[in-house]
Amino acid sequence: MSPPRTALLGYALLGLLHMKPSSGYDIRKIFAMTPMGSFSDSPGAIYPALRRLEGDGLIRGKIENGSSLRRRKVFHLTAAGTTAFKQWLNRSVTHENVVRNLDELMLRFSFMEQVTSETAIVRFLKAVQRELEAYIPSLREHLDAHKTVLPRSGRLALESGVRSYETLLEWSKYAITSYEKEVKQS
Amino acid sequence: MSPPRTALLGYALLGLLHMKPSSGYDIRKIFAMTPMGSFSDSPGAIYPALRRLEGDGLIRGKIENGSSLRRRKVFHLTAAGTTAFKQWLNRSVTHENVVRNLDELMLRFSFMEQVTSETAIVRFLKAVQRELEAYIPSLREHLDAHKTVLPRSGRLALESGVRSYETLLEWSKYAITSYEKEVKQS
DNA sequence: GGTGGCATGTAACCGGTTACATGATTAT
DNA sequence: ATAATCATGTAACCGGTTACATGCCACC
């Protein structure tokens, strides 16, 4: 009875189908032509994933063969799918997320506007900011502590990681002000 | 007869074992305690990977039970392993790498100093720089082109991606000068 | 003598990759 | 007619996750 865990690709599909009911082929084109999260556009990934989601009752597909059109199976979210999608979006932001699942965090964020209130988005961003502000100094410490034993390229690689987290922190501040400005205006 | 393709974890192991012959447990500690590439420290990932590498003849393990020590299996690279490792490091930097396998690129870079000449490292970094300088504008274009249809959070998520690539570009320049300074001094 | 850390392993499961396969429709 | 594109699917393989299992050694 425990709900089957959905993989990241599954949530990406839920998000896209929430925006707009689509066929597997539509999704493939999105993954192939936009910078969307480096998901694979291979049919061997997408069609089985759609089938799983349908099996879990989160989406439903309808064959659209109106008159002369090609046979397309267009999927849309069910009520259960919408619920699962929103629950995913509303999960709290953990340290783990920031350390190992940044891609998932960004995917969640990119879909948020469709569903959640602006205050919830700002809450999400502030949680990200908080986690980054806790994590970055510990990375710097690690770098300093191992400065002497690491080869230069190792040090630089770490430095690159730290910088990218710092950039993300700056971005999160920028995104927060961007939303708070909006709230004031309305 | 075609050489079995090694997964990213496999190369991480080759790199670590190249630095210092180690046991599976040593590796697990490294993955658990350092910011190393977000590899899993679970035994179910590491021990089978080591076994595969040994099966492919790239590493060899020796049980080290000198006197009162605990039973440890210490692995070291074979000649074939060293060759495979160097070939991986010397692969050319492709557009694909930059778009989808940044983690692999950084892993390669972090191990380079052990093996390759400084000129080869600079060549690698310049190739990364070149690919980034070609890729970033196309990302910006995509962002501009879809500005109007994307929800704000989608736009911001993309913006975050672009910024992180820009940071990486800055880093690559910094790394290059860091190496070229060194060359001049010696 | 029992708890906790050291150390290695296995097995079921799951999902992505790769490659193959099919057929319908549009364009040349 | 035939090539390209639309559109969906399947199957083998591979490797990571999760969870379980074992035994040794050190310390108190």
Side-chain angles (χ1 to χ4, degrees), chain B residues 85-100:
Chain B
F85 181 55
K86 287 185 183 174
Q87 277 174 359
W88 176 64
L89 290 182
N90 286 322
R91 289 228 260 266
S92 61
V93 176
T94 67
H95 175 73
E96 272 287 297
N97 281 328
V98 166
V99 176
R100 271 195 259 290

Side-chain angles (χ1 to χ4, degrees), chain B residues 2 19 23 36 43 52-53 74 90 94 96 116 134 159 163 166 170 172 184:
Chain B
S2 71
M19 292 200 309
S23 68
M36 254 228 48
R52 280 195 300 274
L53 291 175
V74 176
N90 286 322
T94 67
E96 272 287 297
T116 16
E159 173 76 27
R163 285 189 185 198
E166 285 169 345
E170 287 314 304
S172 72
K184 269 181 202 155

